[in-house]
Amino acid sequence: MSVQTSGQLPRHTIELPTLTGVSAVFMWSATVGLYRGISEAFGAVGGSALIFTVSAVIAVLCTGPSAFSALSKRYLIIGGGLFITYETALALAIGYATTRQQALEVGTVNYLWPSFTIALAVWLGYQRADWRMIPGLLLSLTGILWVSSGDRGISFTHIIHNIGTNPVAYGLALIAATAWPVYTIITRAISEGKNGVPVFLTLTAIVLWIKYFSTSQPPLHFNFNGAIMVLTFGVLTTLAYSAWNYGVMHGNLTLMATASYFSPVLSVLMTSLLLHMMPGHTFWLGSLLVTAGSLICWLSTHQTSVVA
């Protein structure tokens, strides 16, 4: 994708569409911290249902009623199913975490998706890569193992014990990490250029409310701080998707893709600020390894359009 430049701007200047797209990465970096804060205020399922209800309302208000038309059945069923799987799995993984530290860990597992996206794109023939993809994937996986070991470095005994204390949360995080790459590639092929996000957010909210009312869940009580976080999350979700789509259409995809690979470290930083906690140095090292592995995977490719 080419980037059109104005005659008044120097060639090295990063244009507004690209900066707009990159801003989505910073907004998404607040996801783990907001998910956790909201789940502590309203419960894992109830909090997630509130999040996507508000996000859906804001997204529909921004796009209008036309958001619910012109989507093919295939895109609605396949794309919507994958989107709901990803968002629900990630929200509940963070909500079901027993501690804030564990919420950070399962949130970092989710950030295997950039490397997984590249690997899937190469496997399906949408993208070419050289030998560097293998060490890149291994480095990202090493980072996840490091994070999952706690503060004692990589130890399979501690990894098994750590995951065994809450296999549901870690399992959901891994499902999220694999669902998003599939969604990214499949919907690129079947969406026909249509934006299904407002519809998918609405369907995600419906699924979560069904789960809330059909299972035993703690009652919802008004919480001022929680309500502010829900509203903030809803606004950020809409702004982030809009900013990313604008950048994809008009900006430099290479720079946007590169920025997205710093998400693990940015997420840890934002989550630490939002939850008033500071992870240990081993956690930071694991996050850096995940980021480095993703960057190496990206460098191994000859094209970046699918990944973005």
Side-chain angles (χ1 to χ4, degrees):
M1 178 177 179
S2 62
V3 181
Q4 297 181 0
T5 59
S6 168
Q8 287 77 25
L9 292 175
R11 291 184 128 189
H12 63 270
T13 299
I14 300 177
E15 294 188 35
L16 179 60
T18 302
L19 290 174
T20 302
V22 170
S23 72
V25 177
F26 290 91
M27 288 186 274
W28 280 326
S29 296
T31 295
V32 175
L34 288 173
Y35 268 141
R36 183 62 187 182
I38 293 167
S39 69
E40 290 178 356
F42 300 110
V45 178
S48 299
L50 289 172
I51 287 169
F52 288 102
T53 299
V54 173
S55 298
V57 169
I58 294 175
V60 171
L61 287 175
C62 290
T63 57
S66 61
F68 292 91
S69 62
L71 296 182
S72 68
K73 285 186 178 180
R74 187 170 63 156
Y75 180 37
L76 187 62
I77 294 172
I78 300 176
L82 288 167
F83 186 96
I84 292 168
T85 298
Y86 170 75
E87 296 288 5
T88 303
L90 178 58
L92 294 182
I94 296 169
Y96 286 152
T98 54
T99 65
R100 291 183 170 185
Q101 174 67 25
Q102 194 173 79
L104 265 176
E105 292 175 9
V106 298
T108 304
V109 171
N110 167 65
Y111 285 112
L112 281 170
W113 71 259
S115 297
F116 284 178
T117 302
I118 297 174
L120 183 61
V122 171
W123 183 55
L124 294 176
Y126 288 107
Q127 200 161 37
R128 293 179 298 166
D130 59 31
W131 61 272
R132 289 175 293 181
M133 190 184 75
I134 301 301
L137 285 171
L138 291 176
L139 195 59
S140 286
L141 290 171
T142 300
I144 292 300
L145 292 176
W146 206 296
V147 166
S148 301
S149 295
D151 291 329
R152 305 182 183 181
I154 292 183
S155 165
F156 285 101
T157 301
H158 291 118
I159 291 172
I160 293 172
H161 172 75
N162 220 17
I163 295 176
T165 61
N166 196 346
V168 172
Y170 286 97
L172 286 170
L174 186 59
I175 289 173
T178 53
W180 191 253
V182 179
Y183 168 82
T184 298
I185 292 176
I186 287 182
T187 57
R188 183 180 177 89
I190 67 176
S191 65
E192 300 175 352
K194 301 294 192 304
N195 178 19
V197 170
V199 179
F200 298 161
L201 287 172
T202 302
L203 293 175
T204 304
I206 292 172
V207 168
L208 286 166
W209 281 121
I210 291 174
K211 179 173 178 58
Y212 180 82
F213 287 112
S214 63
T215 57
S216 178
Q217 301 293 334
L220 293 173
H221 299 289
F222 179 76
N223 181 298
F224 180 77
N225 290 334
I228 294 297
M229 284 190 287
V230 169
L231 182 60
T232 301
F233 194 101
V235 172
L236 283 179
T237 297
T238 304
L239 288 176
Y241 278 117
S242 299
W244 187 258
N245 288 341
Y246 180 69
V248 165
M249 290 186 291
H250 304 290
N252 187 318
L253 292 180
T254 301
L255 290 177
M256 289 171 56
T258 303
S260 71
Y261 299 142
F262 289 94
S263 294
V265 174
L266 290 173
S267 178
V268 173
L269 177 61
M270 292 293 291
T271 302
S272 300
L273 294 173
L274 289 168
L275 298 181
H276 307 291
M277 58 179 294
M278 182 53 65
H281 67 278
T282 55
F283 193 95
W284 284 102
L285 178 58
S287 299
L288 286 170
L289 290 176
V290 175
T291 296
S294 297
L295 283 169
I296 292 173
C297 285
W298 173 71
L299 289 171
S300 75
T301 64
H302 300 284
Q303 301 172 1
T304 58
S305 58
V306 175
V307 180

